[in-house]
């Protein structure tokens, strides 16, 4: 369980500090409040070592579609006045995900023992994220739990729609690249060796391009197993590296600099930040805690680090506008929204406007993505055809000339 280091003041106004274990930052703050300590700083430390729960690793989490369905059902049931415990009991049988079903059963038992819903959800981090729990926690404390479920439903629905648009835009170029890779393997293993045997019989001098193709084909035929192992090792090493803290940070920075799709990724992440931030502020989550939770929601270590730096600046007493400018993440238009939002006290409304602005930008980029990638794919295909033509047909013409010369 993670360890949190805190600083705060007790009921007598004296400064206190220490550390405690809690499943999340929200739970740690709740525990301190129950002890009569008002936290002024709360930071995550190193997690205690625990045994690996292999069943949780195998089961994994749940999909966005399931979260959208669950939050919509909970909104409808809570709005109809059905008690939360009864609503959760009714959703157990309709849950198609095994982790969600197990989490709902555990929630029902915890609610029966008198635990609040948000506190019970903290025991299932693979199903309910810290952002999810924070919104539910605020909804419970303000008596507007159905509005909390509605906000989460709308948030996850927009997130799901954005992911679907990105997948749809990338489907065509990925299919073309996969087809080219399969064609390259088949040519080297099945087609080019046939021509190699034919060229050997005639004994003609082969041009450079042909020798290159024959050498590459011979390498595929002889060392295909070693090449397969190398590819698997490289992929495994890459996956391991991007799971390390430093690897996640570097890969997150590289993602934003990728050609063609880097700008789309950047705008998509900033749209997620603005939408999540607006939802947290609208729900009543404190500014510094909202920044911390949103940093976990953006799913990019580099952007998350910049957002946490914004939180540190806010905790030092700096304005949100100055912290946002120091992060160098936002466009001048969005910086103006930060400035006006702070002046008018409507940061959440203007962050929602920023989210919609970024989403329109992403939508436009996705619609034109195929048109921008097609010329590159055409150049690659044309290059492959040219190499094959020069490497295969040029010596064949030479052989025909030799045969015709012998015939005369």
């Amino acid at each position: 369980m993670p360890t949190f280091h805190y600083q705060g003041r007790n009921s007598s106004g004296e400064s206190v500090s220490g550390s405690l274990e809690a499943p999340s930052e929200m739970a740690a703050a709740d525990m301190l409040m129950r002890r009569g300590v008002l936290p002024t700083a709360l930071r995550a430390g190193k997690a205690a070592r625990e045994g690996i729960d292999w069943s949780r690793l195998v089961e994994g989490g749940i999909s966005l579609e399931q979260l959208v369905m669950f939050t919509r059902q909970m909104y409808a049931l809570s709005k109809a006045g059905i008690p939360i415990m009864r609503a959760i009991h009714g959703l157990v049988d309709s849950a198609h995900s095994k982790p969600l079903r197990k989490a709902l059963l555990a929630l029902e038992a915890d609610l029966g023992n008198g635990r609040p819903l948000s506190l019970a959800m903290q025991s299932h981090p693979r199903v309910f994220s810290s952002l999810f729990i924070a919104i539910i926690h605020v909804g419970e404390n303000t008596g507007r739990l159905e509005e909390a479920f509605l906000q989460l439903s709308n948030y996850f629905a927009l997130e799901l729609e954005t992911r679907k648009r990105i997948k749809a835009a990338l489907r065509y170029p990925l299919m073309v690249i996969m087809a080219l890779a399969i064609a390259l393997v088949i040519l080297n293993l099945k087609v080019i060796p046939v021509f190699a045997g034919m060229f050997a019989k005639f004994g003609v001098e082969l041009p450079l391009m042909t020798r290159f193709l024959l050498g590459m084909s011979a390498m595929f035929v002889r060392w295909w197993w070693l090449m397969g192992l190398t590819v698997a090792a490289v992929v495994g090493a890459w996956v391991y590296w991007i799971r390390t803290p430093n690897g996640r940070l570097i890969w997150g920075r590289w993602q934003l600099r990728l050609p063609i799709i880097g700008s789309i990724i950047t705008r998509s992440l900033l749209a997620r930040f603005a939408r999540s931030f607006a939802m947290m502020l609208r729900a009543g989550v404190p500014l510094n805690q909202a920044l911390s939770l949103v940093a976990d929601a953006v799913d990019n270590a580099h952007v998350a680090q910049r957002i946490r730096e914004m939180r540190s600046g806010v905790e030092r007493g700096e304005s949100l506008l100055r912290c946002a400018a120091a992060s160098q993440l936002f466009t001048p238009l969005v910086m103006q929204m930060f400035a006006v939002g702070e002046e008018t006290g409507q940061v959440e409304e203007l962050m929602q406007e920023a989210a919609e602005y970024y989403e329109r930008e992403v939508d436009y980029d996705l619609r034109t993505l195929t048109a921008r990638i097609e010329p590159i794919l055409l150049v690659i295909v044309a290059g492959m055809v040219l190499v094959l033509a020069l490497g295969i047909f040029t010596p064949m013409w030479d052989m025909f000339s030799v045969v015709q010369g012998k015939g005369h």
Side-chain angles (χ1 to χ4, degrees):
M1 186 177 292
T3 300
F4 292 91
H5 304 290
Y6 67 87
Q7 293 178 348
R9 296 188 178 276
N10 58 19
S11 57
S12 303
E14 299 174 349
S15 178
V16 294
S17 63
S19 60
L20 76 165
E21 291 185 353
S24 69
E25 185 176 1
M26 181 71 71
D30 285 342
M31 293 171 65
L32 289 172
M33 294 292 286
R34 291 194 194 98
R35 297 178 185 177
V37 175
L38 179 64
T40 57
L42 190 61
R43 300 185 182 278
K46 294 183 178 180
R49 293 187 177 180
E50 298 178 349
I52 298 176
D53 188 350
W54 295 105
S55 62
R56 289 175 62 186
L57 290 176
V58 172
E59 289 176 2
I62 64 174
S63 64
L64 270 178
E65 290 91 344
Q66 293 165 341
L67 280 176
V68 170
M69 182 63 66
F70 170 70
T71 50
R72 284 177 178 172
Q73 291 172 333
M74 288 299 298
Y75 166 68
L77 293 172
S78 58
K79 186 179 181 182
I82 297 175
I84 293 298
M85 187 172 175
R86 182 178 174 185
I88 290 177
H89 177 75
L91 294 179
V92 170
D93 294 333
S94 63
H96 299 292
S97 168
K98 185 177 179 181
L100 178 59
R101 189 180 300 112
K102 290 177 64 176
L104 293 179
L105 289 171
L107 289 180
E108 185 181 2
D110 289 339
L111 291 174
N113 293 328
R115 297 184 71 187
L117 180 60
S118 58
L119 191 60
M121 285 181 171
Q122 291 171 1
S123 301
H124 310 279
R126 290 180 176 269
V127 178
F128 306 110
S129 65
S130 56
L131 183 145
F132 192 113
I133 296 170
I135 297 296
I136 297 299
H137 176 79
V138 174
E140 281 184 313
N141 291 341
T142 58
R144 297 184 296 179
L145 191 57
E146 68 278 1
E147 293 184 16
F149 281 115
L150 178 61
Q151 284 184 329
L152 288 169
S153 174
N154 294 333
Y155 171 78
F156 289 129
L158 286 171
E159 184 71 16
L160 180 61
E161 184 64 27
T162 301
R163 291 190 184 185
K164 284 183 177 179
R165 291 203 303 267
I166 293 174
K167 289 180 181 178
L170 295 178
R171 188 176 296 119
Y172 169 72
L174 288 177
M175 288 179 62
V176 173
I177 293 172
M178 289 178 61
L180 289 176
I182 294 173
L184 183 64
V185 173
I186 294 175
L187 284 171
N188 281 284
L189 292 179
K190 299 295 183 182
V191 179
I192 296 179
V194 176
F195 287 97
M198 184 172 60
F199 295 153
K201 290 180 182 179
F202 283 88
V204 296
E205 184 178 356
L206 301 176
L208 176 63
M209 190 62 67
T210 305
R211 295 198 300 270
F212 168 75
L213 288 176
L214 296 182
M216 185 172 62
S217 176
M219 183 178 66
F220 266 82
V221 172
R222 182 176 299 178
W223 303 107
W224 62 268
W225 57 272
L226 181 59
M227 296 174 68
L229 289 176
T230 302
V231 170
V234 169
V235 171
W238 172 263
V239 172
Y240 174 80
W241 178 70
I242 63 175
R243 289 182 177 179
T244 62
N246 189 49
R248 282 196 301 268
L249 187 62
I250 296 174
W251 173 233
R253 190 182 305 119
W254 286 353
Q255 283 180 324
L256 308 184
R257 299 175 181 175
L258 291 174
I260 300 178
I261 64 172
S263 61
I264 300 177
I265 294 174
T266 301
R267 292 188 179 98
S268 177
L269 290 172
L270 293 180
R272 183 183 299 175
F273 160 79
R275 186 168 60 243
S276 306
F277 193 40
M279 181 180 66
M280 301 294 284
L281 294 179
R282 191 178 298 114
V285 178
L287 179 61
N288 60 341
Q289 189 177 357
L291 287 171
S292 178
L293 293 169
V294 170
D296 296 331
V298 295
D299 198 23
N300 182 287
H302 173 67
V303 176
Q305 184 186 55
R306 296 292 181 88
I307 295 172
R308 292 190 183 98
E309 291 172 357
M310 288 176 59
R311 172 190 169 168
S312 299
V314 169
E315 290 176 342
R316 290 193 300 267
E318 299 177 6
S319 68
L320 182 61
L321 175 63
R322 183 174 180 180
C323 296
S327 70
Q328 299 181 344
L329 289 174
F330 306 100
T331 61
L333 176 62
V334 178
M335 291 301 301
Q336 292 179 12
M337 292 182 179
F338 273 116
V340 175
E342 276 197 310
E343 291 174 1
T344 61
Q346 296 178 331
V347 177
E348 61 272 18
E349 285 84 358
L350 290 170
M351 282 297 95
Q352 185 64 36
E353 291 290 333
E356 293 174 359
Y357 163 75
Y358 280 127
E359 285 164 359
R360 287 193 295 269
E361 292 283 313
V362 170
D363 189 54
Y364 174 78
D365 287 341
L366 290 176
R367 286 200 303 268
T368 60
L369 178 63
T370 302
R372 285 183 287 170
I373 291 180
E374 274 184 346
I376 299 175
L377 297 177
L378 288 174
V379 169
I380 295 174
V381 173
M384 289 183 61
V385 173
L386 180 63
V387 169
L388 288 173
L390 293 176
I392 300 298
F393 294 114
T394 302
M396 289 182 66
W397 291 331
D398 294 340
M399 287 190 299
F400 289 147
S401 300
V402 171
V403 171
Q404 288 178 353
K406 290 181 179 180
H408 292 297

